[in-house]
């Protein structure tokens, strides 16, 4: 008995020393969680993704209910709704907001009503179901991909599934549990597989730049009903580090730092190849656009224009008649993973 106790104590001691060494190497707790998050794969049962689909009695024929290979649908760590969406958002004004002028925000304006959604909140919740300018919308942000997809939701609400596809957010429709790959805005598993969400323009900028253009804008409040540190980035050095937490494909097609910022536009067609996007897409590297100022490209049978907005410090994509085209920012690694060559 004494021998067994000694073994247990020594094992615990070595484990503690090992964890201490790993934490010291990472520098802080957030970096530790980021650098060693991949180890959670040994704590999660990936088979539950298969069980989830089987429970819905869905036919996984790609022509019916599945657009992707189920083995590529990964458990992100938190369970379904473990990252809670905000369904009853509250708002501050420029005078009452707790966020500083340099806070990164998602800016949306619909029918004259402007709203800013701080990254400090979106990093922890990823989805806000809101109503802006008389339109029911969902605002989604993936911290692992830096992708922003905002769309009309009708009478539906959307939540965080806890699953990832190519390291990016998988949303789910609460009405029928259809899963959506956020960077595509397309249903990938479920009754509404291959459905494209009706996207609306959104912009990534700073709070000060947004308020300069929209001084009466509402700003999402930290009064969310949840206890989170909205002034602390929860992913350590992830935003600038070359490391990715989860495996993604087509990275040999990448020519930039994987966390360089791009903007991309996309239009799907009626083809539904398994695991891949079908349609047209184009990306614009922010560092290049800042130098160029403007670029006109061929896109789905017409010319469109991308321009650097020096006030908002971002890329705006539009038709030649100046109509804004919904686009998304992203880390550079996202584009080949979702839109790269097979």
């Amino acid at each position: 008995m004494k021998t067994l106790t000694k073994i247990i104590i020594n094992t615990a001691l070595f484990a503690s020393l090992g964890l201490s060494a790993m934490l010291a190497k990472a520098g802080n707790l957030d970096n530790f969680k980021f650098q060693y998050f991949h180890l959670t794969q040994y704590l999660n049962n990936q088979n539950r993704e298969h069980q989830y689909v089987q429970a819905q009695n869905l036919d996984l024929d790609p022509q019916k209910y599945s657009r992707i290979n189920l083995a590529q649908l990964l458990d992100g760590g938190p369970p379904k709704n473990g990252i809670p969406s905000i369904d009853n958002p509250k708002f501050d004004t420029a005078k009452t907001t707790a966020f500083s002028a340099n806070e990164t925000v998602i800016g949306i304006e619909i029918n004259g009503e402007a709203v800013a959604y701080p990254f400090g909140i979106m990093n922890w919740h990823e989805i806000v179901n809101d109503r802006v300018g008389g339109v029911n919308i969902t605002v989604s942000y993936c911290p692992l991909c830096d992708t922003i997809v905002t769309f009309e939701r009708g009478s539906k609400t959307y939540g965080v599934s806890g699953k990832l596809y190519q390291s990016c957010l998988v949303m789910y429709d609460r009405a029928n549990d259809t899963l959506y790959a956020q960077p595509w805005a397309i249903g990938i598993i479920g009754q509404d597989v291959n459905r494209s969400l009706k996207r609306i323009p959104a912009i990534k900028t700073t709070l000060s730049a947004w308020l300069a253009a929209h001084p009466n804008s509402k700003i999402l409040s930290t009064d969310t009903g949840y206890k989170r540190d909205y002034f602390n980035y929860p992913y350590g050095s992830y935003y600038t580090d070359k490391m990715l937490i989860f495996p993604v494909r087509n990275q040999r097609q990448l020519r930039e730092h994987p966390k360089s910022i791009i903007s991309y536009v996309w239009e799907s067609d009626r083809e539904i190849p398994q695991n891949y996007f079908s349609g047209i897409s184009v990306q614009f590297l922010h560092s290049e656009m800042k130098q160029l100022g403007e670029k006109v490209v061929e896109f789905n049978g017409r010319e469109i224009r991308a321009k650097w907005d020096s006030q908002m410090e971002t890329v705006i994509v539009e038709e030649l008649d100046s109509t804004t085209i919904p686009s998304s920012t992203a880390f550079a690694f996202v584009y080949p993973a979702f839109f790269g060559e097979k």
Side-chain angles (χ1 to χ4, degrees), residues 13-35:
L13 177 61
F14 281 119
S16 177
L17 290 173
L19 286 172
S20 297
M22 292 165 73
L23 183 58
K25 181 181 178 181
N28 59 52
L29 184 58
D30 288 328
N31 275 343
F32 172 81
K33 290 187 293 185
F34 155 53
Q35 292 183 18

Side-chain angles (χ1 to χ4, degrees), residues 98-119:
F99 290 99
S100 65
N102 63 358
E103 174 72 16
T104 304
V105 301
I106 300 169
I108 295 170
E109 194 232 341
I110 302 174
N111 297 329
E113 183 176 13
V115 185
Y117 303 85
F119 269 33

Side-chain angles (χ1 to χ4, degrees), residues 322-336:
S322 297
T323 301
T324 303
I325 300 172
S327 62
S328 176
T329 56
F331 290 132
F333 80 83
V334 174
Y335 191 79

Side-chain angles (χ1 to χ4, degrees), residues 108 110 117 128-130 132 135-139 151 153 200:
I108 295 170
I110 302 174
Y117 303 85
V128 179
N129 292 296
D130 201 359
V132 178
V135 180
N136 290 337
I137 67 169
T138 293
V139 182
F151 54 93
R153 63 181 174 86
I200 56 178

Side-chain angles (χ1 to χ4, degrees), residues 220-265:
L220 185 64
S221 171
T222 57
D223 183 9
T224 63
Y226 299 94
K227 291 184 178 180
R228 302 288 189 276
D229 185 356
Y230 296 124
F231 304 98
N232 177 52
Y233 179 64
Y235 294 93
S237 61
Y238 179 80
Y239 201 86
T240 55
D241 201 298
K242 286 187 176 182
M243 181 186 289
L244 304 181
I245 299 176
F246 294 90
V248 294
R249 64 190 173 196
N250 296 339
Q251 292 308 286
R252 290 184 178 180
Q253 299 175 25
L254 190 63
R255 296 293 177 266
E256 299 82 28
H257 186 293
K259 304 294 177 58
S260 297
I261 304 300
I262 67 162
S263 286
Y264 68 93
V265 291

Side-chain angles (χ1 to χ4, degrees), residues 121-230:
I121 300 175
M122 299 304 294
N123 281 327
W124 293 93
H125 294 280
E126 301 188 7
I127 289 177
V128 179
N129 292 296
D130 201 359
R131 182 175 176 83
V132 178
V135 180
N136 290 337
I137 67 169
T138 293
V139 182
S140 69
Y141 174 68
C142 178
L144 297 184
C145 292
D146 204 44
T147 42
I148 297 168
V149 175
T150 303
F151 54 93
E152 294 186 19
R153 63 181 174 86
S155 61
K156 296 172 178 286
T157 61
Y158 292 78
V160 180
S161 71
K163 300 165 180 62
L164 298 172
Y165 178 63
Q166 300 303 322
S167 192
C168 285
L169 167 65
V170 175
M171 309 177 292
Y172 80 97
D173 176 351
R174 291 199 175 105
N176 59 22
D177 272 339
T178 296
L179 300 181
Y180 287 82
Q182 188 241 17
W184 285 341
I186 291 176
I188 54 173
I189 293 177
Q191 294 180 26
D192 289 335
V193 67
N194 299 314
R195 171 177 175 249
S196 291
L197 298 168
K198 187 177 181 180
R199 291 173 281 126
I200 56 178
I203 189 171
K204 174 186 173 183
T205 186
T206 61
L207 182 57
S208 60
W210 181 254
L211 289 175
H214 305 278
N216 296 319
S217 176
K218 299 192 301 183
I219 304 162
L220 185 64
S221 171
T222 57
D223 183 9
T224 63
Y226 299 94
K227 291 184 178 180
R228 302 288 189 276
D229 185 356
Y230 296 124

